[in-house]
Amino acid sequence: MLPLCYFAFLSLLSPVLSIECNETQYEWPVGKPQFCCEMCKPGQYMHRRNGKVCDKECKPCIGGRYSDTHNVEMYCGICDTCTKPNMEYKSRCNATHNAVCSCKAGYKCKDQNCKECLLVPTTSESSTTLPPSTTALKSTTLPTASTTPTPLRDTAWFLVIIVLLCIGFAFFVVTNIEPFLRWIRTKHGYFLAKPAAPVHSEVEEVSKPVQEVCGKCEQPLEV
């Protein structure tokens, strides 16, 4: 009696127990899963399946279609085409793999899926844009210009400013010296006055002949 009760209990509990299927299986039926059924293999799709048991029919992918995993899909995926400008096939599409696209030489993929190719300038192309002489001139002149000592330039400008200030001051002195001297004579004339000529008094002019006459009178007269 006990074994019969045990099996009856298991039959009632079995729909409640969870089912763990592996990655190549699917739980079936969908509402109340009781079975782990095998999926269709890569390169196939599920054409039909039974609603109660693991009874299915898988068919191969054809006509530019593929399936790269175990699946329960009702159709295959559509293969990509590598026909855009500057694009080429890295590998063609087949029943189990999609096509892989790549770009021609001198171009690169815009994204990881390589849906568009972009132009990439190479090192040789960028180096030929300038003539050799220009490249050499650029390599030799740029370091010299960048290493020009700044203090020398500052000193040169300082000397130019000093010279211009001196020229301006000299021009100011030349154009304003005469009015300045005239002002000095007006305010302080005694500093610039010419020495006056000696003035002889009338007494000195009159007495001189008298002295001379008297001198002559002192001499003895001859008889």
Side-chain angles (χ1 to χ4, degrees):
M1 185 68 182
L2 182 61
L4 182 61
C5 293
Y6 177 76
F7 285 113
F9 176 76
L10 289 180
S11 62
L12 293 174
L13 186 62
S14 58
V16 181
L17 296 176
S18 61
I19 298 175
E20 296 183 358
C21 303
N22 61 33
E23 59 183 5
T24 62
Q25 296 175 337
Y26 65 95
E27 298 176 357
W28 194 254
V30 177
K32 295 179 180 181
Q34 300 178 9
F35 310 102
C36 288
C37 303
E38 294 294 328
M39 299 180 179
C40 293
K41 297 179 180 179
Q44 298 177 345
Y45 70 98
M46 187 172 290
H47 179 63
R48 65 170 184 85
R49 62 183 170 185
N50 192 298
K52 295 181 180 180
V53 297
C54 293
D55 182 19
K56 66 182 186 303
E57 180 182 1
C58 296
K59 287 190 174 183
C61 299
I62 57 174
R65 294 179 177 270
Y66 75 99
S67 174
D68 54 3
T69 60
H70 286 80
N71 66 93
V72 291
E73 302 294 336
M74 305 302 293
Y75 54 86
C76 296
I78 300 175
C79 295
D80 291 335
T81 57
C82 306
T83 56
K84 293 183 179 179
N86 305 305
M87 189 176 291
E88 60 187 5
Y89 283 96
K90 186 175 182 179
S91 62
R92 295 278 180 173
C93 181
N94 54 38
T96 57
H97 293 87
N98 192 11
V100 178
C101 302
S102 63
C103 295
K104 296 180 181 179
Y107 296 85
K108 68 175 183 178
C109 294
K110 183 178 180 180
D111 50 22
Q112 186 176 2
N113 296 326
C114 200
K115 300 299 183 181
E116 184 179 355
C117 292
L118 303 177
L119 180 63
V120 178
T122 61
T123 306
S124 58
E125 291 176 353
S126 60
S127 61
T128 55
T129 55
L130 292 175
S133 59
T134 307
T135 305
L137 180 62
K138 181 179 179 181
S139 61
T140 55
T141 55
L142 285 180
T144 304
S146 61
T147 56
T148 302
T150 303
L152 291 179
R153 292 200 299 266
D154 295 341
T155 303
W157 278 110
F158 179 77
L159 293 176
V160 170
I161 293 172
I162 293 298
V163 171
L164 292 176
L165 288 175
C166 292
I167 294 173
F169 180 77
F171 179 78
F172 175 81
V173 171
V174 170
T175 55
N176 294 277
I177 189 64
E178 185 176 354
F180 178 75
L181 293 176
R182 189 179 301 113
W183 178 81
I184 290 293
R185 289 194 186 97
T186 304
K187 298 297 182 181
H188 307 283
Y190 55 87
F191 286 113
L192 302 177
K194 295 181 180 179
V199 179
H200 300 282
S201 64
E202 294 179 358
V203 177
E204 291 178 352
E205 292 178 356
V206 172
S207 61
K208 184 175 181 181
V210 173
Q211 292 176 356
E212 291 177 355
V213 172
C214 292
K216 291 179 181 181
C217 291
E218 291 177 357
Q219 294 179 1
L221 298 174
E222 293 180 358
V223 180

